[in-house]
Amino acid sequence: AHAELLSCLLGAGELGRDAFEDVARKFRLLPDGAIETINEWGFDKFDEPILDGEEHIVVVEHVRMELQRAGAER
């Protein structure tokens, strides 16, 4: 579910907080917990968080490029 949420965010570019919360709940995730889980994975994989923002949730740009490159290599 976290990967699907991240994929939606990558596709959207950014989501307002309310929209992000709606999408997270669609995947049966708690929004703040999802951010924490995704960012913990980011620290493990990239040594930094993946998601940023308060009012608008975005994928950190250079991490976005790494994620897209990894997706293209699958």
Side-chain angles (χ1 to χ4, degrees):
H2 291 90
E4 291 177 281
L5 176 59
L6 181 56
S7 180
C8 284
L9 192 52
L10 284 167
E14 77 173 46
L15 290 173
R17 181 65 187 202
D18 290 342
F20 176 81
E21 290 178 0
D22 289 344
V23 173
R25 288 188 183 106
K26 174 183 158 199
F27 293 116
R28 305 178 83 78
L29 298 171
L30 296 173
D32 290 332
I35 291 171
E36 185 175 331
T37 298
I38 292 169
N39 281 342
E40 284 177 8
W41 179 76
F43 277 110
D44 290 343
K45 182 101 172 128
F46 304 107
D47 293 324
E48 62 185 302
I50 293 174
L51 303 180
D52 191 26
E54 292 292 322
E55 291 184 31
H56 296 278
I57 309 299
V58 299
V59 177
V60 175
E61 188 58 35
H62 61 278
V63 175
R64 170 192 297 280
M65 293 171 17
E66 290 294 321
L67 290 167
Q68 289 173 333
R69 190 174 344 207
E73 293 174 358
R74 285 188 209 172

